Structures are given as C-alpha cells and as structure tokens.
Amino acid sequence: MDEQPVELGRRPDPVDAPPAVPVAAPRRRAGGRGGLAGLASAAVNAQVTRRHPVSLVHFVTRRCNARCSFCFIDFDNPSPKSAELTLEEIERLTRTTGPQLRNVNLTGGEPFLRGDLTEIVRAYYRNAGVQSVYITSNGAFPDRVEALARAVATEFPDRSLIVSLSLDAFPAEHDAIRKVDGLFDKAVATYRALRAVGGNVTPNVGITVSHENHQTVPDLYRALVDDYGIRAVTAIIVRDEGVYEVPEADRAAVLDAYRWLTSTIVEDQRSGRLEGYDEATLLGRLMNRKNELLWDVVADTYLDPHFVSTCYAGSLFGVVDTDGTVHPCEVLDRPIGNLRDVGMDLGALWRSEPARSTATWIKDSHCNCSYECAWGFNILGNARYQPQLLAAALKR
C-alpha cells in the first residue's frame, strides 16, 4: 500500500458533466442476464478474464442549460451539437458492446436536451441487452423525464431505469449554484413524477459535496428526507477536473461533509429510512456493501491520493465521449480510439492494441484516483474485496 501515486493526465477537451456519475441504484432489483448461467459468465468475466466491459458511461451531449461552478466543461469552448453521435451511430454502437454489458450511464451536459434520448435508451435495452440504464439529470425538464420513464415502464418492465437528480443546496442557493431559476423546484417535481411511475423506474437525488455547499450538507440532507419526502440519496464528492479545481483551503471541510453524508446514508438505509438495493436478496445485499466500500475508499484517498487496488478501467469499465472517442475513464488522458474510425464497433476497439496496452499500463503503473464510477467496478472485480462482499451477501 506504500506505492507512490501516479500523476494523472487531464483530457484537454473536458466534457460537460457533473464531477462524477453516481453508481448506487436505490430500490433497484439487482439482476443479470440469463439466470444462473448468466451470473456465472459475468463472474468469470469480472474476476478472471476481464475481456468485456460490464458498464459504460456515455456522454450523449455536452450541451447544458445550467452553468454549475464545479462542472469541468470549458464553457468558453463549447462543443457543437453537430459533434454528437447521431441516433443511427448509437444504434450501431449498441449492437457491438459485447456479451457482458450490464449497465450504461447516460450523462452530459443535460441528457434530456437530446430529443432522441428515449430512442437512445431503447437502443441500449434492445441491442446491447443492458439490465439497467442510469441517467444523470439536473431535473429541469419534468415532462420529458416522465415521458421517457413511462415508455420504459411500458416497453421494458423487466429492466431497470434509474434517474439521478442533482440537488446540492436549498432552493435559492441551489438555483444560484447551477445558475437556473426555479431548478430546485423542477428537480423535486421530476422526482415525484418518477415516484408516481413506480415499478422498474427508480429516482434518486444525488448530492455533490463541494466548496459551495459543504457547510449546509447536513441540513440539506435532513430537509430532503424529512420535508421533501426523498427516499433515495447518493453522494458525490467534487474533484479536480478540466477547468475546475477544488480550493485548497476547502478540501478538508469538503471531505468531512462527504464522510458525514455517506455514513448517514448507510445508517438510514440500514434502518429503512432510506431505500437501497433490496436487502431481501443476496445480490442486493452485495451491492449495498459494494457502495459502502466504495465511499470509504474514495474518502480515504481524497486528500492523500495513493494506490489501494488495481483499477479495471479499460477492462470492465469505459467512457464513450460525445464525439465517439472512447476513454478508459473520465480522468486519464489516454484515449483508446474513436468509434467513428472503426465503424462504431466498440468490441473491435476494446480488443485493439491501444486498448490492451492502456489496460496493462493502468495495472502496471498502479494508476489511482477517487473517481466513483470506476471504483464501483474495481471493488466488484477485485478478489481482495470478495470476502467482505460475500459476508454481506450471505447475511440474513
């Protein structure tokens, strides 16, 4: 554990997105492809071969109606709509993701600015066979979100849709942070509309802990749960990325607020005050424990970046950028290649020499960071965490 941290490069053209995409999926029924055979195949891929991606983050747009201070997009150099992958290109992409893809996180920018987002979701369900789609949104478009959710509930009742809505402060301050009047109220309205859809549709609220809200996080959390009736909460800690840097004077306080928030979420999930994965199922208990381990690792490495365990970005996990460039993760400046150069064939790109060499470099260099999405799959795919995961899964 005493290896020196690797100096990570930054992508020169950061995408428009929150600092991290949450990986928890409250109330979700954790499942897999093909019953026991599918789970066995998934376990071999995750633990042994690591040949196929299990999860992708897909930035479907860089456009956004908000201007969050902690976002890592460079608003002085906007990316045009014309750079986005078309629906036809995404259809082709989703037919080449491989046999083990379980989840895709659709993010941006604001994903619901794409008028074809419902079709994109359909493509991932139908063509890629994913079990869950996770969409990160600022909640500014309740009608669009509800329409997509109702389509999924009707057409794909055996799959999961999770919509994570960002709420970082009380109404006036939240709107000021994200620079959109009325955004807090719209996000709450979106959450309630999704709760009304129910079934396989799960909304949660993601709180990004930053230098702007760390002092009010406990009060905000209590208000969301007690006054607004929020039943599922995830936590993200802001990180240096692109054009944003965490003020040095605030780092320790930001971490303290994140630790408080994540530990409180765990306590409230255990007591039933909040919803998490279904504790009545073995896989649900495993996934809840995975999130607890993830939050602990992120907190322990935030102020003191250091190697903890092997990262499987570029093996089990990857990022598809708005223009089709594929990265192992959001942080590392080592693009694997562009899908448009290989006929939108992700499998071919994943098997390419640049992909193999990048995955090898990540492992050999002890590359490390506090990126929550990658950490979720590092924990699931690393033998060192399996005893804790299995103990939680088998607990009655």
Side-chain angles (χ1 to χ4, degrees), residues 240-311:
D240 291 333
E241 185 78 18
V243 298
Y244 175 78
E245 291 186 7
V246 183
E248 190 64 36
D250 293 329
R251 286 181 181 272
V254 169
L255 176 58
D256 287 343
Y258 178 78
R259 286 188 183 276
W260 181 93
L261 179 58
T262 54
S263 63
T264 303
I265 290 172
V266 170
E267 292 173 5
D268 286 350
Q269 285 181 346
R270 290 176 178 174
S271 71
R273 189 170 182 236
L274 283 185
E275 296 166 346
Y277 282 96
D278 186 357
E279 283 285 326
T281 69
L282 181 148
L283 198 53
R285 293 189 293 274
L286 182 150
M287 295 300 287
N288 284 331
R289 182 58 178 148
K290 179 267 296 180
N291 285 339
E292 295 172 17
L293 291 169
L294 180 156
W295 286 330
D296 285 343
V297 169
V298 169
D300 289 344
T301 58
Y302 186 70
L303 294 181
D304 177 27
H306 60 277
F307 176 78
V308 176
S309 60
T310 300
C311 180

Side-chain angles (χ1 to χ4, degrees), residues 133-145:
V133 172
Y134 195 113
I135 304 177
T136 307
S137 173
N138 61 34
F141 307 102
D143 293 343
R144 299 183 192 180
V145 179

